Amino acid sequence: MPRTRPPEVWRRYFGAYLLSAVGTGMWIPLQGIFLHEYRHVPVGQLGGYFAVMALAAVAINLPIGPVADRHGPLVFFVTAGVLQGVGMLLVAVDRGIWPLLVAGCLSGLGNGMFFAVQTPVLMRLVGPEHLSATFGRQYQLMNVGGVVGALLGGAVVHLLDYPGYLLIIAANAASTVLHVCNVALILPRAPIPTADPDRSDPTSRTPARRGLLAPLRDRAFLPLVVLQLGLVVFGAAQMDTVAPVVFQASAGLPVWMVTVFIVANCLVVVVTQGSANRWVARRGYQEGIFGALACWLVAFLFALSVMVFDQWIWQVVGVAACAAVFGVGETLLAPSLQPLVVQRAPADRLAAYSSAMSLSFSVGIIVAPALGLWAVDHVDGWLYWLIIAIGTATCLPLARMGRSPQNPDVSELSYER
């Protein structure tokens, strides 16, 4: 049975996804301000809300994978979106700390469940031959939605004040639920992609292993789990949470330079993602990850130079170059990592193996800011960037470990009913 042509699926999928990204972009920059100013959470206790969210995601990551493999990922994908939406709405309830803790728990459970089953869902939606491009375009639209949402959210709050916050919360929850429901409506139920047994490479997948911890005991897959942790701890989470603090506190840069960093990063991702998708399609997923790490090392050298040279013109150039080169690395990573997970994981255990990657990501999100901010307090800014660069360099061998089969082509795939 032929599958709907991917461009048609993309239009329907990415339309709702972009709305969800805009909703998230409106809320994320303002949630700490709302919790502090209108829910009267002390600044020092804001971390408790985010810690509850992160721990809930960690708790659900591994258990949900084997269950999704048995019963299908779609129901858990939709459940995740509903949990996220309810958790967001509970933030608007002004009844003390308990609704906030419940909101953090529900949002965390939804986040952990969502990212654990997202890859199996997209596999069924577009097939393995279009999975890499789908992740790449999704990352591109996430950045578009983040920028548009941040600008729109700021304007709404400026005009409406407190009611504007409530409107943003409602819009974020509604767009999230709309996204998962849209996927449920367009997901093909009958055709599920499998490799043709006459053409598939027997070394391209690891033997199927059972048990909750099977992905973590799989020697062929474990390097990917460790690599994911390193990518978050030394890369993505540092740039999202710690780098602006380092630029401002250690280098004495004004806030507008931090804005330059964020805007330059987003613009580069939006402009170069299509080219990165094509490069990864030609060179392979492992080369994409290796290239991303190489770009990040160059970006950290630019950041290091900002700490060393105090001329303001070079600092502007260094910050913009750091953000731009790091963004190129992000565009290479987005279409590479999850498709490589699909190639390495047993076909009937994809959700379990994706859950292990989601667990690694969640742990990294918890560990990275704590380690990064501790380092900022105890070492000079230039030494912080040197440590981050060394940590990233240790991930390079992990990117080369394991055999990466040739990226699948549509002519080498068959579909089962």
Side-chain angles (χ1 to χ4, degrees):
M1 183 176 184
R3 181 182 296 272
T4 306
R5 290 182 61 82
E8 298 175 8
V9 175
W10 278 343
R11 281 194 291 271
R12 295 186 61 181
Y13 172 77
F14 286 127
Y17 179 82
L18 180 58
L19 290 177
S20 176
V22 171
T24 302
M26 287 193 296
W27 172 239
I28 292 298
L30 300 174
Q31 60 179 334
I33 299 173
F34 176 80
L35 292 173
H36 177 60
E37 292 189 0
Y38 295 101
R39 291 297 169 261
H40 311 295
V41 180
V43 174
Q45 297 180 15
L46 284 174
Y49 169 77
F50 297 110
V52 168
M53 191 184 303
L55 291 174
V58 169
I60 197 65
N61 278 144
L62 276 184
I64 201 64
V67 180
D69 281 322
R70 287 195 297 271
H71 301 287
L74 181 59
V75 63
F76 300 100
F77 188 77
V78 175
T79 301
V82 173
L83 287 174
Q84 289 172 318
V86 173
M88 294 170 200
L89 293 176
L90 281 177
V91 172
V93 177
D94 189 7
R95 292 292 187 273
I97 192 63
W98 289 107
L100 282 180
L101 293 178
V102 174
C105 185
L106 291 179
S107 295
L109 291 173
N111 291 341
M113 191 181 300
F114 181 92
F115 290 108
V117 300
Q118 178 182 223
T119 298
V121 166
L122 290 182
M123 267 284 290
R124 296 190 178 194
L125 184 67
V126 301
E129 71 275 20
H130 297 287
L131 187 64
S132 176
T134 299
F135 272 109
R137 184 169 297 188
Q138 182 172 278
Y139 192 74
Q140 182 183 41
L141 291 180
M142 184 185 74
N143 280 269
V144 172
V147 173
V148 173
L151 296 174
L152 185 58
V156 169
V157 169
H158 177 73
L159 293 174
L160 302 177
D161 198 40
Y162 179 71
Y165 282 104
L166 299 182
L167 180 61
I168 288 171
I169 291 171
N172 189 21
S175 63
T176 299
V177 174
L178 173 65
H179 170 54
V180 297
C181 291
N182 176 63
V183 171
L185 291 174
I186 65 177
L187 185 69
R189 297 176 182 273
I192 300 176
T194 60
D196 187 335
D198 294 330
R199 293 186 174 186
S200 62
D201 185 342
T203 66
S204 66
R205 295 184 184 275
T206 58
R209 300 173 187 270
R210 301 295 171 183
L212 195 65
L213 300 178
L216 304 181
R217 297 196 304 266
D218 190 329
R219 294 182 180 180
F221 188 78
L222 186 58
L224 271 184
V225 178
V226 179
L227 175 62
Q228 169 82 304
L229 182 63
L231 290 169
V232 177
V233 171
F234 298 113
Q238 294 297 331
M239 299 302 273
D240 288 341
T241 60
V242 183
V245 177
V246 177
F247 284 136
Q248 191 172 19
S250 297
L253 304 186
V255 174
W256 67 267
M257 278 201 191
V258 177
T259 304
V260 168
F261 174 82
I262 297 172
V263 171
N265 179 258
C266 290
L267 287 177
V268 167
V269 170
V270 171
V271 171
T272 63
Q273 186 66 70
S275 299
N277 290 349
R278 292 187 290 273
W279 191 88
V280 170
R282 291 194 304 269
R283 301 296 298 272
Y285 304 141
Q286 281 184 301
E287 290 297 321
I289 296 173
F290 194 87
L293 289 168
C295 288
W296 287 4
L297 286 173
V298 175
F300 296 152
L301 291 178
F302 278 115
L304 181 62
S305 71
V306 173
M307 303 292 115
V308 175
F309 301 103
D310 57 1
Q311 294 89 349
W312 73 270
I313 188 65
W314 172 252
Q315 289 181 329
V316 173
V317 172
V319 167
C322 171
V325 178
F326 190 86
V328 173
E330 291 176 286
T331 64
L332 293 173
L333 185 64
S336 302
L337 186 59
Q338 292 303 320
L340 189 58
V341 172
V342 172
Q343 288 186 344
R344 296 273 180 88
D348 62 340
R349 301 280 289 160
L350 179 56
Y353 278 62
S354 297
S355 296
M357 295 293 286
S358 182
L359 172 66
S360 182
F361 180 87
S362 299
V363 171
I365 289 295
I366 295 174
V367 171
L371 289 179
L373 293 173
W374 177 89
V376 171
D377 281 339
H378 291 81
V379 302
D380 292 333
W382 68 269
L383 186 56
Y384 163 81
W385 287 113
L386 183 60
I387 293 171
I388 295 303
I390 292 173
T392 301
T394 62
C395 296
L396 289 171
L398 293 172
R400 294 292 197 189
M401 292 181 68
R403 182 177 182 273
S404 181
Q406 186 178 5
N407 294 357
D409 181 79
V410 65
S411 63
E412 296 185 59
L413 297 167
S414 63
Y415 293 96
E416 289 182 349
R417 296 190 62 178

